[in-house]
Amino acid sequence: MGEGIFAENCQTCHGPEGLGDGPAAAGLTPPPANLAEHVLLHSDKELFNVVSVGVPETAMPPFGHLLNEEDRWHLINYLRVLTAEE
């Protein structure tokens, strides 16, 4: 489920691999986070908060009103899989 949520809501800016290189990334200042690096630095609770309330002074919007709590957790779980070190 998280993969579909990511594709629909995050991939445009963060790119399919979460590297911050999506088609909308070029015009954003600051650029979208490289999730392959960024996700590893934060707890699930911190990531949930970022997804829920966004990041001030960036293009990262709040998704708390668009995605229910369960879907936000599915997204966090997918981010862990997407960015897992192999």
Side-chain angles (χ1 to χ4, degrees), residues 15-65:
E17 303 296 318
L19 302 177
D21 60 352
L28 300 177
T29 303
N34 177 340
L35 299 177
E37 297 170 355
H38 192 70
V39 167
L40 300 174
L41 302 174
H42 299 281
S43 70
D44 289 351
K45 185 175 181 178
E46 290 170 325
L47 294 172
F48 184 85
N49 188 54
V50 167
V51 169
S52 298
V53 302
V55 179
E57 299 182 30
T58 74
M60 177 64 191
F63 285 93
H65 65 288

Side-chain angles (χ1 to χ4, degrees), residues 8-26:
E8 186 175 324
N9 296 283
C10 313
Q11 194 167 314
T12 300
C13 294
H14 291 286
E17 303 296 318
L19 302 177
D21 60 352

